[in-house]
Amino acid sequence: MNETFRSLDVVMVSYTEWATAQRVVSAAHASDVRVLAFIDDTSAKDPEKLVSLRPDGFILQRELNKDTLEEALVKVSRSEAAVPAEIISEVFDSAARALKTSHLRFIELTSREKSALELLADGLSNKEIAKSLNISLHGAKRLVGNILLKLNCPNRTQAVVLAMRYGLVGEGK
């Protein structure tokens, strides 16, 4: 056990002193000591930074007073989550954004497939796609099939919905 933390239940760090906080948290966790982190508004808006330090609880510096400090210290010492709702919301919003884009992160459509997907989104049939792209009906069917396969969709409608949701077509593009 690290001698520095022998008699401590909870250690407090500040995100404004990032390098120090990283060292202290690492040593505290190695000694089975809980960590309560003070964060400013800038750090509160950076979910990756928030979770990378992995403290056991948070306090927003602007909300720091005797009562919030006491409540957070009690919660962290009991291994309960001491996390302001604002922080939870920011982390979940960030996770939702990451999940929303992660599904299509590795999908690469050719320029021709992208053109066909746009036409699909406009409601064109395979025959109309073929005519618009100046290719054979068989070529249009192949493009649409490739799109469905790459997007892992069973039908054209779901492919268009997915493409619109992730900004591959339409206004979000």
Side-chain angles (χ1 to χ4, degrees):
M1 177 181 269
N2 187 326
E3 293 298 318
T4 307
F5 298 118
R6 180 177 297 265
S7 63
L8 297 177
D9 292 324
V10 178
V11 65
M12 296 178 285
V13 298
S14 172
Y15 271 63
T16 57
E17 300 293 330
W18 184 247
T20 302
Q22 288 177 305
R23 288 191 304 276
V24 169
V25 170
S26 178
H29 284 163
S31 300
D32 292 324
V33 172
R34 306 244 173 256
V35 177
L36 178 62
F38 297 101
I39 54 174
D40 59 13
D41 287 339
T42 303
S43 297
K45 298 295 183 195
D46 186 352
E48 288 181 26
K49 191 173 187 180
L50 286 175
V51 297
S52 68
L53 197 58
R54 300 193 57 135
D56 300 291
F58 297 96
I59 292 184
L60 292 167
Q61 288 177 346
R62 68 176 140 77
E63 295 179 358
L64 182 59
N65 61 43
K66 176 188 171 287
D67 293 332
T68 58
L69 178 59
E70 182 178 351
E71 180 183 349
L73 284 169
V74 167
K75 282 184 175 182
V76 168
S77 67
R78 291 181 183 163
S79 298
E80 296 174 7
V83 183
E86 181 179 328
I87 301 303
I88 292 171
S89 186
E90 189 68 38
V91 170
F92 276 104
D93 288 349
S94 176
R97 287 188 300 272
L99 286 173
K100 190 174 183 180
T101 59
S102 67
H103 176 76
L104 299 179
R105 183 174 295 147
F106 302 107
I107 296 175
E108 291 187 26
L109 298 176
T110 65
S111 61
R112 195 61 127 171
E113 289 166 344
K114 289 176 187 174
S115 298
L117 183 56
E118 285 285 344
L119 296 171
L120 271 178
D122 289 338
L124 274 63
S125 67
N126 286 349
K127 187 175 182 179
E128 293 167 322
I129 291 171
K131 185 176 180 180
S132 180
L133 295 178
N134 200 25
I135 59 176
S136 69
L137 178 58
H138 176 75
K141 288 179 181 179
R142 189 178 61 241
L143 280 173
V144 171
N146 287 344
I147 292 166
L148 296 178
L149 185 65
K150 287 183 178 183
L151 296 180
N152 193 28
C153 293
N155 59 52
R156 301 159 67 99
T157 304
Q158 285 188 6
V160 170
V161 168
L162 188 71
M164 292 174 89
R165 181 179 298 151
Y166 294 114
L168 295 176
V169 297
E171 293 176 18
K173 185 178 165 197

